Amino acid sequence: KFLLCNMQPIEKLFAFSEAPENIRWREERAPLGALCYLLNIIGIIGNITVLHIFRLRMPPSNYRVFIMSLSALDLNMCFIHLIKEFNRMLIIYRTFDDILETHVCAFGNFGGYFSGVPAVPIVLFIAFERYRKICTPFKPQISIKRSKIMCLVSVLVCFVLVTPVYEMYGVRFVKIGNVTATRCAIKNKYDGSVLPFVFSIFIFMSAFLNVIGIIVFQIKIRNALVEKAKSKMRMKNIKGASGTSDKATVNKTQSVEDQEAAKNRRIAVTFAIVSIMLVISFFTLTIFHLVKAVERFVSPTMEISKVEDVINEYVPDAIILNGILNPFVYFFTDNQFRQEVYKACGRNV
C-alpha cells in the first residue's frame, strides 16, 4: 500500500509529460536538444582528456595549474548543461511545479554561475602571471603554490558572490500563446524586485573590470614579445657582422634563448585565444541576463512568444562554447599536449 501510494505522483507526472501537445513540442525542439547534447558531450570528453594528460604527463608549472583549473570549471559547466538540457526537454510546455524541480533548477543555475564566473578572475591572474614572466623576467616570479592559491581564492570568492542565484532561480510560470508553462528562470515573485537587477549589474561590472585588466596585460605582453623579437634580430645582425671565436657556445646559448622565447610565445598565444573566447561567451551571457533583469524590473510580464521562449532558453548556453572549444585550443597551440593526445590514441609521433 505504501509503495502504491507513493508511486501515484510519479504516474501522474509521466502521464502529464507525455501529453500529445508536449510530444509535438518536444519534436520541434529535438534539433536544438540534439545539438546541445552533442556539444556538451564533446566538451566533457575534451576536458576529461585535458585533465588526464596535464595531471599525469605534464611537468609541474604555473601553466599546468591554470590549464587544469580552467578545464575543471569547463568540465563542470558541460555536465550541468547536459542535465539542464535533459530537464528542459522533459518539461517543454507543460506546467509542473514541485519542491524537487525548484531545487534542481536553482542548483543547476547556481552550478552554472559557479563554474563560469571564477574563470574570469583566473584568466586575469593568468594574464598577470604571463606579464610578470615576460615583461619583468628579473623580478621574483609567481610560484606554483601561489598560482594554486590564486585559483582557489577565485573559486571560493565567486562561490560566495553567486549564492543569491540559488534563491532567485526556480520554477517560473510563463504564458506562451494559449499555453501556461513553467521555465527554469528567475521566479515570478522577483518581478519588479531590485535583487536580480542589482545582482546582474554587479556581475556585469565585475566582469567588465576584470576584462579591462586582461586587455591591459595582454597588450603589454604583446608589445614585450614584439620588442624582444626585434632586439634578438638586432643582436644576431651585430654578432654576424663582428664575428666570434666560439661559435658553438654562441649557437648553444641562442638555441636555449630561442626555445624559451618560443615557449613564452606559445603560452601567450594559447591564453590570448582562451581569453578572447571567454570574454565573448561570458559577455553574451551577462549582457543577456542584464537586459532581462532590466526588463523584468521595469515592465514585468508573463506573456512571451515562442521565438522569445527559444531565445530565453538557448542564448545563455553560449557560455558553454568557451569550455567546449578550449581543449581544441590547447591541442592546436601546445605541441607537447598534442603529442600526448596522439600517444593516448595509439598513434606514433
Side-chain angles (χ1 to χ4, degrees), residues 81 277 280-282 284-285 314-323:
H81 275 79
M277 293 195 306
I280 293 172
S281 61
F282 192 81
T284 300
L285 175 68
Y314 287 98
V315 167
D317 287 2
I319 189 65
I320 66 171
L321 295 178
N322 180 63

Side-chain angles (χ1 to χ4, degrees), residues 126-194:
I126 291 171
F128 176 67
E129 189 271 342
R130 287 289 90 199
Y131 166 78
R132 291 288 294 270
K133 182 79 173 178
I134 294 171
C135 300
T136 59
F138 300 110
K139 290 185 178 180
Q141 298 298 307
I142 296 173
S143 65
I144 295 175
K145 181 179 179 180
R146 189 163 293 179
S147 295
K148 292 179 181 179
I149 293 173
M150 289 160 67
C151 292
L152 182 60
V153 168
S154 296
V155 171
L156 293 178
V157 169
C158 290
F159 178 86
V160 175
L161 293 179
V162 302
T163 48
V165 172
Y166 198 88
E167 167 58 28
M168 293 187 302
Y169 278 78
V171 175
R172 178 181 179 84
F173 290 89
V174 294
K175 193 169 182 62
I176 306 169
N178 296 322
V179 179
T180 301
T182 53
R183 287 289 173 267
C184 178
I186 294 176
K187 301 171 188 174
N188 299 88
K189 72 176 185 179
Y190 285 106
D191 286 355
S193 172
V194 74

Side-chain angles (χ1 to χ4, degrees), residues 17-18 23 48-49 81 87 157 160 170 194 203 251 257 277:
S17 65
E18 293 303 324
I23 293 174
I48 288 176
T49 303
H81 275 79
N87 188 55
V157 169
V160 175
V194 74
I203 294 295
N251 290 337
E257 291 176 352
M277 293 195 306

Side-chain angles (χ1 to χ4, degrees), residues 102-138:
T102 298
H103 284 292
V104 168
C105 169
F107 178 78
N109 280 277
F110 173 79
Y113 270 93
F114 176 61
S115 300
V117 174
V120 179
I122 287 176
V123 169
L124 176 62
F125 288 142
I126 291 171
F128 176 67
E129 189 271 342
R130 287 289 90 199
Y131 166 78
R132 291 288 294 270
K133 182 79 173 178
I134 294 171
C135 300
T136 59
F138 300 110

